Amino acid sequence: MKDFDYILVGTGQATATLLGGLPQDASIAVIEGDKIGGTCVNTGCTPTKTLVASAKVAHMARRAAEYGINVGEVSIDFAKVIARMNEVRGASNQGLTSWLESDSRVSLFHGWAKFAAPKEIQIGNEIIRGETIFLNVGGRPRKPTTPGLESVPWLDNGRLLDLSDLPEHLIVVGGSYIALEFSQMFRRFGAEVTVIERSDDILRREDSDVARAVREIMAAEGIHFELGARVSQVAPSSSGGVELSLEVGGGGKTLTGSHLLMATGRVPNSDRLAVDKARLELDDRGYI
């Protein structure tokens, strides 16, 4: 069994800060079960803010005449937009990977980590020991239990970033920040967008006046909202897209689109850690 002074589980945002503060003569194991950089680099901040920047340029170009600038009709090369995003996030991923591999203190392990004992971590068939263990495991999209969902090629925020063609009509289930960020950027790229939220308004954790102002801004850009609506069934549509059955205000409604994004929250990856073997407990939300 290999012994380390420190074990860092996960390579998300905390990793660089932690490594910078650890002793130069320490032995450090860094473990990653998915892509180096975690959510922020691969499916979160880095790629989405790159898309937001492209969407903002398109939006401002359409408004150029308001500033006395004539640019003609604005068109979107979606493939080039995605290629630029992949270049940016790829560079971040590769840069972080190279940095970890070049740090003489670091031994990089690829695989999902779980506890074998309070100070022992198992990766595949290998077990390593660490005097101090940092858990930086992040989260993943919540998998909804909506009836019929598995019958359609639904998207989460990661799979949405892998699209090669712009959706004709993107239906977004959820009204929090991830849902709204994607809704606005894809509307600015030219897709029709409908947001479905089961609460009376979007951003239910924010003050009502803030939520209302955000919704009004997005509605002015052409985004449609179905509020107080619950998705009761999902099925393939006759056109090859998706068809959603909604319960709205005591009645029913059918909505059809080309693509479906389920943005109904995230769950922590701590359920993969076998925390009981480290004498740790998870709360009712899955956090340690």
Side-chain angles (χ1 to χ4, degrees), residues 130-189:
E131 187 60 33
T132 302
I133 299 175
F134 295 97
L135 302 177
N136 177 32
V137 295
R140 62 187 185 275
R142 183 187 305 278
K143 186 177 181 179
T145 57
T146 309
L149 188 62
E150 295 305 322
S151 68
V152 301
W154 64 280
L155 304 165
D156 58 24
N157 67 296
R159 293 197 293 271
L160 185 61
L161 296 175
D162 293 330
L163 290 180
S164 56
D165 298 312
L166 180 68
E168 180 180 343
H169 181 188
L170 177 64
I171 298 176
V172 180
V173 178
S176 195
Y177 69 97
I178 293 176
L180 300 180
E181 183 176 57
F182 279 111
S183 297
Q184 186 180 59
M185 71 171 72
F186 274 85
R187 178 57 188 156
R188 289 179 171 185
F189 289 143

Short mmCIF file of all heavy atoms in Angstrom, two decimals, residues 130-189:
data_model
loop_
_atom_site.label_atom_id
_atom_site.label_comp_id
_atom_site.label_asym_id
_atom_site.label_seq_id
_atom_site.Cartn_x
_atom_site.Cartn_y
_atom_site.Cartn_z
N GLY A 130 -3.61 7.85 3.21
CA GLY A 130 -3.25 9.25 3.37
C GLY A 130 -3.49 9.73 4.78
O GLY A 130 -4.53 9.43 5.38
N GLU A 131 -2.53 10.46 5.32
CA GLU A 131 -2.68 10.99 6.69
C GLU A 131 -3.77 12.04 6.74
O GLU A 131 -4.53 12.14 7.71
CB GLU A 131 -1.35 11.56 7.17
CG GLU A 131 -1.34 11.97 8.63
CD GLU A 131 -1.65 10.80 9.55
OE1 GLU A 131 -1.26 9.65 9.22
OE2 GLU A 131 -2.27 11.03 10.61
N THR A 132 -3.86 12.86 5.69
CA THR A 132 -4.91 13.88 5.59
C THR A 132 -5.59 13.73 4.24
O THR A 132 -4.93 13.65 3.19
CB THR A 132 -4.32 15.30 5.70
OG1 THR A 132 -3.63 15.42 6.95
CG2 THR A 132 -5.41 16.35 5.61
N ILE A 133 -6.91 13.69 4.24
CA ILE A 133 -7.68 13.48 3.01
C ILE A 133 -8.63 14.65 2.80
O ILE A 133 -9.40 15.01 3.69
CB ILE A 133 -8.47 12.15 3.07
CG1 ILE A 133 -7.50 10.97 3.23
CG2 ILE A 133 -9.33 11.98 1.82
CD1 ILE A 133 -8.19 9.64 3.43
N PHE A 134 -8.55 15.26 1.63
CA PHE A 134 -9.46 16.34 1.25
C PHE A 134 -10.47 15.79 0.24
O PHE A 134 -10.09 15.19 -0.76
CB PHE A 134 -8.69 17.50 0.59
CG PHE A 134 -7.73 18.20 1.51
CD1 PHE A 134 -6.38 17.86 1.50
CD2 PHE A 134 -8.16 19.20 2.37
CE1 PHE A 134 -5.47 18.50 2.33
CE2 PHE A 134 -7.26 19.85 3.21
CZ PHE A 134 -5.92 19.50 3.19
N LEU A 135 -11.75 16.03 0.50
CA LEU A 135 -12.81 15.57 -0.39
C LEU A 135 -13.35 16.76 -1.18
O LEU A 135 -13.93 17.69 -0.62
CB LEU A 135 -13.94 14.92 0.43
CG LEU A 135 -13.52 13.72 1.28
CD1 LEU A 135 -14.71 13.21 2.09
CD2 LEU A 135 -12.93 12.61 0.42
N ASN A 136 -13.13 16.70 -2.47
CA ASN A 136 -13.54 17.77 -3.39
C ASN A 136 -14.26 17.11 -4.56
O ASN A 136 -13.87 17.22 -5.71
CB ASN A 136 -12.29 18.54 -3.85
CG ASN A 136 -12.60 19.62 -4.85
OD1 ASN A 136 -13.65 20.23 -4.80
ND2 ASN A 136 -11.66 19.86 -5.77
N VAL A 137 -15.34 16.36 -4.21
CA VAL A 137 -15.93 15.46 -5.21
C VAL A 137 -16.99 16.10 -6.09
O VAL A 137 -17.43 15.51 -7.07
CB VAL A 137 -16.52 14.21 -4.52
CG1 VAL A 137 -15.41 13.40 -3.86
CG2 VAL A 137 -17.58 14.59 -3.48
N GLY A 138 -17.43 17.30 -5.75
CA GLY A 138 -18.36 18.00 -6.62
C GLY A 138 -19.72 17.32 -6.73
O GLY A 138 -20.14 16.55 -5.85
N GLY A 139 -20.42 17.59 -7.83
CA GLY A 139 -21.76 17.06 -8.02
C GLY A 139 -22.03 16.71 -9.46
O GLY A 139 -21.17 16.85 -10.34
N ARG A 140 -23.25 16.26 -9.71
CA ARG A 140 -23.67 15.86 -11.06
C ARG A 140 -25.14 16.23 -11.22
O ARG A 140 -25.85 16.45 -10.22
CB ARG A 140 -23.48 14.36 -11.25
CG ARG A 140 -24.31 13.49 -10.32
CD ARG A 140 -23.93 12.02 -10.47
NE ARG A 140 -24.79 11.14 -9.66
CZ ARG A 140 -24.58 10.85 -8.38
NH1 ARG A 140 -23.54 11.38 -7.75
NH2 ARG A 140 -25.40 10.04 -7.74
N PRO A 141 -25.63 16.31 -12.46
CA PRO A 141 -27.05 16.64 -12.64
C PRO A 141 -27.96 15.59 -12.01
O PRO A 141 -27.69 14.40 -12.07
CB PRO A 141 -27.21 16.65 -14.18
CG PRO A 141 -25.83 16.87 -14.71
CD PRO A 141 -24.91 16.19 -13.74
N ARG A 142 -29.03 16.06 -11.40
CA ARG A 142 -30.02 15.15 -10.84
C ARG A 142 -30.76 14.44 -11.97
O ARG A 142 -31.16 15.07 -12.96
CB ARG A 142 -31.02 15.93 -9.99
CG ARG A 142 -32.05 15.05 -9.28
CD ARG A 142 -33.10 15.92 -8.60
NE ARG A 142 -32.48 16.89 -7.70
CZ ARG A 142 -32.10 16.61 -6.46
NH1 ARG A 142 -32.27 15.38 -5.99
NH2 ARG A 142 -31.55 17.54 -5.71
N LYS A 143 -30.91 13.14 -11.87
CA LYS A 143 -31.64 12.39 -12.88
C LYS A 143 -33.11 12.36 -12.51
O LYS A 143 -33.50 11.77 -11.50
CB LYS A 143 -31.10 10.96 -12.98
CG LYS A 143 -31.73 10.17 -14.11
CD LYS A 143 -31.12 8.79 -14.23
CE LYS A 143 -31.76 8.01 -15.38
NZ LYS A 143 -31.16 6.66 -15.53
N PRO A 144 -33.97 13.01 -13.30
CA PRO A 144 -35.39 13.06 -12.96
C PRO A 144 -36.06 11.70 -13.12
O PRO A 144 -35.55 10.81 -13.80
CB PRO A 144 -35.97 14.06 -13.98
CG PRO A 144 -34.77 14.76 -14.56
CD PRO A 144 -33.65 13.78 -14.51
N THR A 145 -37.21 11.56 -12.48
CA THR A 145 -37.98 10.32 -12.57
C THR A 145 -39.26 10.52 -13.39
O THR A 145 -40.22 9.78 -13.24
CB THR A 145 -38.35 9.83 -11.16
OG1 THR A 145 -39.08 10.86 -10.47
CG2 THR A 145 -37.10 9.49 -10.37
N THR A 146 -39.27 11.51 -14.25
CA THR A 146 -40.45 11.81 -15.06
C THR A 146 -40.85 10.62 -15.92
O THR A 146 -40.01 10.06 -16.64
CB THR A 146 -40.16 13.01 -15.97
OG1 THR A 146 -39.64 14.09 -15.19
CG2 THR A 146 -41.42 13.46 -16.69
N PRO A 147 -42.10 10.19 -15.88
CA PRO A 147 -42.54 9.06 -16.70
C PRO A 147 -42.29 9.29 -18.19
O PRO A 147 -42.58 10.36 -18.72
CB PRO A 147 -44.05 8.99 -16.41
CG PRO A 147 -44.21 9.60 -15.06
CD PRO A 147 -43.19 10.68 -15.00
N GLY A 148 -41.70 8.29 -18.84
CA GLY A 148 -41.44 8.36 -20.27
C GLY A 148 -40.14 9.02 -20.66
O GLY A 148 -39.79 9.07 -21.84
N LEU A 149 -39.40 9.53 -19.67
CA LEU A 149 -38.19 10.29 -19.99
C LEU A 149 -37.17 9.45 -20.75
O LEU A 149 -36.50 9.95 -21.67
CB LEU A 149 -37.57 10.86 -18.71
CG LEU A 149 -36.40 11.84 -18.90
CD1 LEU A 149 -36.85 13.08 -19.66
CD2 LEU A 149 -35.80 12.23 -17.55
N GLU A 150 -37.05 8.18 -20.39
CA GLU A 150 -36.05 7.33 -21.04
C GLU A 150 -36.41 6.98 -22.48
O GLU A 150 -35.60 6.39 -23.19
CB GLU A 150 -35.86 6.04 -20.22
CG GLU A 150 -35.29 6.27 -18.83
CD GLU A 150 -33.97 7.04 -18.85
OE1 GLU A 150 -33.15 6.80 -19.76
OE2 GLU A 150 -33.76 7.87 -17.96
N SER A 151 -37.60 7.37 -22.92
CA SER A 151 -38.00 7.08 -24.30
C SER A 151 -37.54 8.15 -25.27
O SER A 151 -37.73 8.02 -26.48
CB SER A 151 -39.52 6.93 -24.39
OG SER A 151 -40.18 8.18 -24.14
N VAL A 152 -36.94 9.22 -24.76
CA VAL A 152 -36.46 10.32 -25.61
C VAL A 152 -34.99 10.61 -25.29
O VAL A 152 -34.52 10.33 -24.18
CB VAL A 152 -37.30 11.60 -25.41
CG1 VAL A 152 -38.76 11.33 -25.74
CG2 VAL A 152 -37.15 12.14 -23.99
N PRO A 153 -34.24 11.18 -26.23
CA PRO A 153 -32.83 11.51 -25.98
C PRO A 153 -32.69 12.84 -25.22
O PRO A 153 -32.21 13.83 -25.75
CB PRO A 153 -32.24 11.61 -27.39
CG PRO A 153 -33.38 12.04 -28.24
CD PRO A 153 -34.61 11.39 -27.65
N TRP A 154 -33.12 12.84 -23.95
CA TRP A 154 -33.10 14.07 -23.17
C TRP A 154 -31.67 14.48 -22.84
O TRP A 154 -30.74 13.67 -22.86
CB TRP A 154 -33.92 13.92 -21.89
CG TRP A 154 -33.40 12.90 -20.93
CD1 TRP A 154 -33.57 11.54 -20.99
CD2 TRP A 154 -32.61 13.15 -19.77
NE1 TRP A 154 -32.94 10.93 -19.94
CE2 TRP A 154 -32.34 11.88 -19.17
CE3 TRP A 154 -32.11 14.29 -19.15
CZ2 TRP A 154 -31.60 11.75 -17.99
CZ3 TRP A 154 -31.37 14.16 -17.99
CH2 TRP A 154 -31.13 12.91 -17.42
N LEU A 155 -31.50 15.73 -22.52
CA LEU A 155 -30.18 16.31 -22.29
C LEU A 155 -30.05 16.81 -20.86
O LEU A 155 -31.02 17.31 -20.28
CB LEU A 155 -29.94 17.49 -23.25
CG LEU A 155 -30.08 17.21 -24.74
CD1 LEU A 155 -30.17 18.51 -25.52
CD2 LEU A 155 -28.92 16.37 -25.24
N ASP A 156 -28.84 16.68 -20.30
CA ASP A 156 -28.49 17.43 -19.10
C ASP A 156 -27.53 18.52 -19.54
O ASP A 156 -27.24 18.68 -20.73
CB ASP A 156 -27.90 16.52 -18.01
CG ASP A 156 -26.66 15.76 -18.48
OD1 ASP A 156 -25.98 16.22 -19.41
OD2 ASP A 156 -26.37 14.70 -17.89
N ASN A 157 -26.99 19.30 -18.60
CA ASN A 157 -26.15 20.43 -19.00
C ASN A 157 -24.87 19.98 -19.70
O ASN A 157 -24.34 20.70 -20.56
CB ASN A 157 -25.81 21.30 -17.79
CG ASN A 157 -24.90 20.59 -16.80
OD1 ASN A 157 -25.28 19.58 -16.20
ND2 ASN A 157 -23.69 21.10 -16.61
N GLY A 158 -24.37 18.78 -19.38
CA GLY A 158 -23.16 18.29 -20.05
C GLY A 158 -23.43 17.84 -21.47
O GLY A 158 -22.70 18.21 -22.40
N ARG A 159 -24.47 17.06 -21.68
CA ARG A 159 -24.78 16.55 -23.02
C ARG A 159 -25.22 17.67 -23.94
O ARG A 159 -25.01 17.60 -25.16
CB ARG A 159 -25.84 15.45 -22.94
CG ARG A 159 -25.35 14.19 -22.23
CD ARG A 159 -26.25 13.00 -22.52
NE ARG A 159 -27.57 13.14 -21.94
CZ ARG A 159 -27.89 12.73 -20.71
NH1 ARG A 159 -26.97 12.18 -19.94
NH2 ARG A 159 -29.13 12.86 -20.26
N LEU A 160 -25.84 18.71 -23.38
CA LEU A 160 -26.24 19.84 -24.21
C LEU A 160 -25.04 20.51 -24.85
O LEU A 160 -25.10 20.99 -25.99
CB LEU A 160 -27.01 20.86 -23.36
CG LEU A 160 -27.62 22.06 -24.09
CD1 LEU A 160 -28.64 21.62 -25.12
CD2 LEU A 160 -28.25 23.03 -23.10
N LEU A 161 -23.91 20.51 -24.14
CA LEU A 161 -22.70 21.13 -24.67
C LEU A 161 -22.07 20.32 -25.80
O LEU A 161 -21.17 20.81 -26.48
CB LEU A 161 -21.67 21.31 -23.54
CG LEU A 161 -22.07 22.26 -22.41
CD1 LEU A 161 -21.00 22.24 -21.33
CD2 LEU A 161 -22.28 23.67 -22.93
N ASP A 162 -22.52 19.09 -25.97
CA ASP A 162 -21.97 18.24 -27.02
C ASP A 162 -22.78 18.27 -28.31
O ASP A 162 -22.47 17.56 -29.27
CB ASP A 162 -21.87 16.79 -26.53
CG ASP A 162 -20.85 16.62 -25.42
OD1 ASP A 162 -19.87 17.38 -25.41
OD2 ASP A 162 -21.04 15.74 -24.56
N LEU A 163 -23.83 19.10 -28.35
CA LEU A 163 -24.64 19.20 -29.57
C LEU A 163 -23.81 19.78 -30.71
O LEU A 163 -23.00 20.69 -30.51
CB LEU A 163 -25.86 20.09 -29.33
CG LEU A 163 -26.97 19.56 -28.42
CD1 LEU A 163 -28.09 20.60 -28.31
CD2 LEU A 163 -27.52 18.24 -28.93
N SER A 164 -24.05 19.27 -31.91
CA SER A 164 -23.37 19.80 -33.10
C SER A 164 -24.27 20.72 -33.91
O SER A 164 -23.80 21.51 -34.72
CB SER A 164 -22.87 18.66 -33.98
OG SER A 164 -23.93 17.79 -34.34
N ASP A 165 -25.59 20.59 -33.71
CA ASP A 165 -26.56 21.42 -34.44
C ASP A 165 -27.40 22.21 -33.46
O ASP A 165 -27.75 21.74 -32.37
CB ASP A 165 -27.47 20.55 -35.31
CG ASP A 165 -26.71 19.79 -36.39
OD1 ASP A 165 -25.88 20.43 -37.08
OD2 ASP A 165 -26.92 18.58 -36.52
N LEU A 166 -27.77 23.41 -33.86
CA LEU A 166 -28.60 24.28 -33.03
C LEU A 166 -30.02 23.72 -32.95
O LEU A 166 -30.64 23.44 -33.97
CB LEU A 166 -28.63 25.69 -33.62
CG LEU A 166 -29.45 26.74 -32.85
CD1 LEU A 166 -28.80 27.04 -31.51
CD2 LEU A 166 -29.60 28.01 -33.68
N PRO A 167 -30.56 23.55 -31.75
CA PRO A 167 -31.95 23.09 -31.63
C PRO A 167 -32.92 24.07 -32.29
O PRO A 167 -32.73 25.28 -32.22
CB PRO A 167 -32.18 23.04 -30.11
CG PRO A 167 -30.81 22.93 -29.52
CD PRO A 167 -29.90 23.70 -30.45
N GLU A 168 -33.94 23.51 -32.90
CA GLU A 168 -34.99 24.36 -33.46
C GLU A 168 -35.86 24.93 -32.34
O GLU A 168 -36.17 26.12 -32.33
CB GLU A 168 -35.86 23.55 -34.42
CG GLU A 168 -36.98 24.35 -35.06
CD GLU A 168 -37.81 23.51 -36.01
OE1 GLU A 168 -37.35 22.43 -36.42
OE2 GLU A 168 -38.95 23.93 -36.33
N HIS A 169 -36.24 24.06 -31.40
CA HIS A 169 -37.05 24.49 -30.26
C HIS A 169 -36.56 23.73 -29.03
O HIS A 169 -36.80 22.53 -28.90
CB HIS A 169 -38.54 24.21 -30.51
CG HIS A 169 -39.43 24.65 -29.37
ND1 HIS A 169 -40.78 24.34 -29.33
CD2 HIS A 169 -39.17 25.35 -28.22
CE1 HIS A 169 -41.30 24.84 -28.22
NE2 HIS A 169 -40.34 25.45 -27.54
N LEU A 170 -35.87 24.43 -28.15
CA LEU A 170 -35.34 23.84 -26.93
C LEU A 170 -36.34 24.04 -25.80
O LEU A 170 -36.70 25.16 -25.45
CB LEU A 170 -34.01 24.49 -26.56
CG LEU A 170 -33.35 24.03 -25.26
CD1 LEU A 170 -32.96 22.56 -25.34
CD2 LEU A 170 -32.13 24.89 -24.94
N ILE A 171 -36.79 22.92 -25.22
CA ILE A 171 -37.65 22.97 -24.04
C ILE A 171 -36.77 22.74 -22.81
O ILE A 171 -36.01 21.78 -22.75
CB ILE A 171 -38.76 21.90 -24.10
CG1 ILE A 171 -39.67 22.15 -25.30
CG2 ILE A 171 -39.57 21.90 -22.81
CD1 ILE A 171 -40.73 21.08 -25.50
N VAL A 172 -36.87 23.64 -21.85
CA VAL A 172 -36.04 23.58 -20.65
C VAL A 172 -36.95 23.36 -19.45
O VAL A 172 -37.83 24.18 -19.17
CB VAL A 172 -35.23 24.88 -20.47
CG1 VAL A 172 -34.38 24.80 -19.22
CG2 VAL A 172 -34.37 25.15 -21.70
N VAL A 173 -36.75 22.26 -18.75
CA VAL A 173 -37.51 21.98 -17.54
C VAL A 173 -36.67 22.41 -16.34
O VAL A 173 -35.60 21.85 -16.09
CB VAL A 173 -37.88 20.48 -17.44
CG1 VAL A 173 -38.63 20.21 -16.13
CG2 VAL A 173 -38.74 20.07 -18.63
N GLY A 174 -37.15 23.41 -15.62
CA GLY A 174 -36.41 23.97 -14.50
C GLY A 174 -36.30 25.47 -14.65
O GLY A 174 -36.20 25.98 -15.78
N GLY A 175 -36.30 26.18 -13.53
CA GLY A 175 -36.26 27.63 -13.61
C GLY A 175 -35.20 28.25 -12.75
O GLY A 175 -35.33 29.41 -12.32
N SER A 176 -34.11 27.51 -12.49
CA SER A 176 -33.01 28.06 -11.70
C SER A 176 -31.91 28.57 -12.62
O SER A 176 -32.09 28.66 -13.84
CB SER A 176 -32.49 27.01 -10.73
OG SER A 176 -31.69 27.61 -9.73
N TYR A 177 -30.75 28.87 -12.04
CA TYR A 177 -29.74 29.62 -12.81
C TYR A 177 -29.19 28.84 -13.99
O TYR A 177 -28.92 29.42 -15.05
CB TYR A 177 -28.62 30.10 -11.89
CG TYR A 177 -27.73 29.00 -11.34
CD1 TYR A 177 -26.52 28.71 -11.94
CD2 TYR A 177 -28.09 28.28 -10.21
CE1 TYR A 177 -25.69 27.71 -11.46
CE2 TYR A 177 -27.28 27.28 -9.71
CZ TYR A 177 -26.09 27.00 -10.34
OH TYR A 177 -25.28 26.00 -9.86
N ILE A 178 -28.98 27.52 -13.85
CA ILE A 178 -28.46 26.75 -14.97
C ILE A 178 -29.46 26.74 -16.11
O ILE A 178 -29.11 26.96 -17.28
CB ILE A 178 -28.11 25.31 -14.52
CG1 ILE A 178 -26.93 25.33 -13.55
CG2 ILE A 178 -27.79 24.43 -15.73
CD1 ILE A 178 -26.57 23.97 -12.99
N ALA A 179 -30.72 26.50 -15.80
CA ALA A 179 -31.76 26.48 -16.81
C ALA A 179 -31.85 27.81 -17.54
O ALA A 179 -31.95 27.86 -18.77
CB ALA A 179 -33.10 26.14 -16.16
N LEU A 180 -31.80 28.90 -16.80
CA LEU A 180 -31.97 30.22 -17.40
C LEU A 180 -30.76 30.64 -18.21
O LEU A 180 -30.90 31.31 -19.25
CB LEU A 180 -32.27 31.24 -16.30
CG LEU A 180 -33.53 30.97 -15.48
CD1 LEU A 180 -33.73 32.06 -14.44
CD2 LEU A 180 -34.76 30.85 -16.38
N GLU A 181 -29.58 30.28 -17.77
CA GLU A 181 -28.38 30.61 -18.53
C GLU A 181 -28.41 29.96 -19.91
O GLU A 181 -28.17 30.62 -20.93
CB GLU A 181 -27.13 30.17 -17.76
CG GLU A 181 -25.82 30.55 -18.44
CD GLU A 181 -24.61 30.18 -17.60
OE1 GLU A 181 -24.47 28.99 -17.25
OE2 GLU A 181 -23.83 31.09 -17.27
N PHE A 182 -28.72 28.67 -19.94
CA PHE A 182 -28.82 27.98 -21.23
C PHE A 182 -29.98 28.52 -22.06
O PHE A 182 -29.87 28.63 -23.29
CB PHE A 182 -28.98 26.48 -21.02
CG PHE A 182 -27.69 25.76 -20.76
CD1 PHE A 182 -27.42 25.23 -19.51
CD2 PHE A 182 -26.74 25.63 -21.76
CE1 PHE A 182 -26.23 24.56 -19.26
CE2 PHE A 182 -25.54 24.97 -21.51
CZ PHE A 182 -25.29 24.43 -20.27
N SER A 183 -31.09 28.85 -21.42
CA SER A 183 -32.24 29.37 -22.14
C SER A 183 -31.90 30.66 -22.87
O SER A 183 -32.21 30.82 -24.07
CB SER A 183 -33.40 29.61 -21.17
OG SER A 183 -33.83 28.42 -20.58
N GLN A 184 -31.25 31.57 -22.18
CA GLN A 184 -30.94 32.84 -22.82
C GLN A 184 -29.91 32.69 -23.92
O GLN A 184 -30.06 33.26 -25.01
CB GLN A 184 -30.45 33.85 -21.78
CG GLN A 184 -30.25 35.25 -22.39
CD GLN A 184 -29.76 36.26 -21.38
OE1 GLN A 184 -28.70 36.08 -20.78
NE2 GLN A 184 -30.52 37.31 -21.17
N MET A 185 -28.85 31.89 -23.68
CA MET A 185 -27.81 31.78 -24.72
C MET A 185 -28.36 31.11 -25.97
O MET A 185 -28.07 31.55 -27.10
CB MET A 185 -26.57 31.06 -24.18
CG MET A 185 -26.73 29.58 -23.93
SD MET A 185 -25.15 28.74 -23.54
CE MET A 185 -24.81 29.35 -21.89
N PHE A 186 -29.18 30.06 -25.82
CA PHE A 186 -29.69 29.38 -27.01
C PHE A 186 -30.74 30.22 -27.72
O PHE A 186 -30.86 30.15 -28.95
CB PHE A 186 -30.23 28.00 -26.65
CG PHE A 186 -29.16 26.94 -26.65
CD1 PHE A 186 -28.37 26.74 -25.54
CD2 PHE A 186 -28.91 26.19 -27.79
CE1 PHE A 186 -27.35 25.79 -25.54
CE2 PHE A 186 -27.89 25.25 -27.81
CZ PHE A 186 -27.11 25.04 -26.69
N ARG A 187 -31.49 31.03 -27.00
CA ARG A 187 -32.40 31.96 -27.66
C ARG A 187 -31.60 32.98 -28.47
O ARG A 187 -31.97 33.31 -29.61
CB ARG A 187 -33.26 32.67 -26.61
CG ARG A 187 -34.21 33.71 -27.21
CD ARG A 187 -35.12 33.11 -28.23
NE ARG A 187 -35.89 34.13 -28.94
CZ ARG A 187 -36.41 33.97 -30.15
NH1 ARG A 187 -36.22 32.82 -30.80
NH2 ARG A 187 -37.09 34.93 -30.71
N ARG A 188 -30.52 33.46 -27.92
CA ARG A 188 -29.70 34.44 -28.64
C ARG A 188 -29.00 33.82 -29.85
O ARG A 188 -28.67 34.52 -30.80
CB ARG A 188 -28.68 35.07 -27.68
CG ARG A 188 -29.33 36.01 -26.68
CD ARG A 188 -28.34 36.62 -25.71
NE ARG A 188 -28.98 37.67 -24.92
CZ ARG A 188 -28.34 38.45 -24.05
NH1 ARG A 188 -27.04 38.29 -23.85
NH2 ARG A 188 -29.00 39.39 -23.39
N PHE A 189 -28.80 32.50 -29.81
CA PHE A 189 -28.25 31.82 -30.98
C PHE A 189 -29.30 31.60 -32.06
O PHE A 189 -28.97 31.25 -33.19
CB PHE A 189 -27.65 30.47 -30.59
CG PHE A 189 -26.37 30.57 -29.80
CD1 PHE A 189 -26.10 29.66 -28.78
CD2 PHE A 189 -25.44 31.57 -30.05
CE1 PHE A 189 -24.93 29.75 -28.04
CE2 PHE A 189 -24.27 31.66 -29.32
CZ PHE A 189 -24.01 30.74 -28.31
#
